[in-house]
Amino acid sequence: ELKVEQNPLFLSMQEGKNYTIYCNYSTTSDRLYWYRQDPGKSLESLFVLLSNGAVKQEGRLMASLDTKARLSTLHITAAVHDLSATYFCAVDMIHAGNNRKLIWGLGTSLAVNP
Amino acid sequence: DGGITQSPKYLFRKEGQNVTLSCEQNLNHDAMYWYRQDPGQGLRLIYYSQIVNDFQKGDIAEGYSVSREKKESFPLTVTSAQKNPTAFYLCASSIGLRMGRYGYTFGSGTRLTVV
């Protein structure tokens, strides 16, 4: 089964703290995408990870990809209120031979409190 | 600036009525997609199109129809056969079906409510 699991699904954290969101997926992939969504708004691309060991950073967010473990992490450093949003990972999975399909996680709803 | 424009932002549908959601892009992208988003269920693919005059069903195509007469446009019709259409609808595009290093660009979404 093609599956992407994010955890936690809900995260409440204090400003200034660090935390990691995890994205596990069920089958072979070398392409993983992180998106941010603010309430009632569209999705904004954060990171595109295209190879094993890829690490990308933008401000207080850092994403990494381990294709062997089928795991990506989104690390938040010294959280600020502006990071409050829902974060989605999406995995471009190979299945049934050479077919590819984009599978989305359910999203992690992050609330950063003063 | 290039981007995707969805309209309307809010749409109200009466029972038994068909409604059409507009999606236009000026990014010169070949592939376009329609997703439905419900609370707690993430994004689910309705239809996608790789080239003009060709489109494929996604995971939840029943009760929906699309057309791709122009590269820039990919309208979605929610038909009366869709029994639970209230949701947030997102249109996206990518350079090709293999999204590669750029991923998707999303429109701002249409919130559809049945009244």
Side-chain angles (χ1 to χ4, degrees):
Chain A
E1 184 188 0
L2 303 177
K3 202 171 177 183
V4 174
E5 291 186 337
Q6 284 184 240
N7 69 84
L9 295 182
F10 299 94
L11 176 55
S12 179
M13 56 190 297
Q14 282 187 309
E15 281 190 327
K17 298 293 187 183
N18 303 335
Y19 208 85
T20 300
I21 298 170
Y22 297 89
C23 176
N24 291 89
Y25 53 96
S26 62
T27 189
T28 304
S29 177
D30 56 358
R31 298 163 190 269
L32 189 140
Y33 308 86
W34 284 97
Y35 286 85
R36 169 182 171 144
Q37 185 178 35
D38 292 295
K41 304 291 185 183
S42 187
L43 275 75
E44 172 194 354
S45 179
L46 292 175
F47 299 109
V48 178
L49 302 170
L50 298 177
S51 61
N52 186 41
V55 177
K56 291 197 174 179
Q57 182 162 7
E58 181 72 35
R60 299 173 188 275
L61 300 177
M62 184 172 71
S64 66
L65 178 62
D66 182 342
T67 59
K68 292 178 182 176
R70 298 178 183 170
L71 170 68
S72 178
T73 61
L74 180 65
H75 187 72
I76 302 157
T77 302
V80 293
H81 181 70
D82 284 351
L83 290 179
S84 298
T86 299
Y87 293 86
F88 290 93
C89 67
V91 183
D92 189 14
M93 289 193 187
I94 300 168
H95 73 105
N98 199 31
N99 295 317
R100 302 185 80 102
K101 186 172 183 177
L102 190 67
I103 307 294
W104 292 81
L106 292 182
T108 296
S109 180
L110 171 65
V112 180
N113 306 306
Chain B
D1 283 340
I4 297 183
T5 302
Q6 285 187 243
S7 63
K9 189 168 183 174
Y10 299 96
L11 186 57
F12 298 91
R13 192 193 93 165
K14 294 181 181 177
E15 295 284 348
Q17 190 179 41
N18 292 355
V19 291
T20 297
L21 285 60
S22 171
C23 177
E24 303 275 334
Q25 54 100 358
N26 61 2
L27 298 165
N28 200 31
H29 283 173
D30 287 317
M32 297 186 75
Y33 313 80
W34 274 105
Y35 281 95
R36 170 179 171 144
Q37 188 178 30
D38 296 278
Q41 293 197 43
L43 275 71
R44 293 186 290 169
L45 182 63
I46 305 173
Y47 269 98
Y48 64 98
S49 168
Q50 187 177 6
I51 56 171
V52 173
N53 292 324
D54 184 60
F55 47 83
Q56 306 295 329
K57 291 182 179 180
D59 299 317
I60 55 164
E62 186 174 349
Y64 300 97
S65 66
V66 293
S67 63
R68 186 89 186 272
E69 297 176 2
K70 298 186 300 181
K71 186 176 184 176
E72 302 79 19
S73 179
F74 192 42
L76 174 74
T77 296
V78 184
T79 74
S80 56
Q82 172 50 240
K83 297 306 177 189
N84 184 23
T86 294
F88 188 48
Y89 291 86
L90 286 161
C91 179
S93 71
S94 64
I95 287 177
L97 277 188
R98 296 199 61 172
M99 295 159 54
R101 64 182 67 250
Y102 303 108
Y104 283 168
T105 300
F106 279 90
S108 56
T110 293
R111 190 164 298 279
L112 174 62
T113 305
V114 174
V115 295

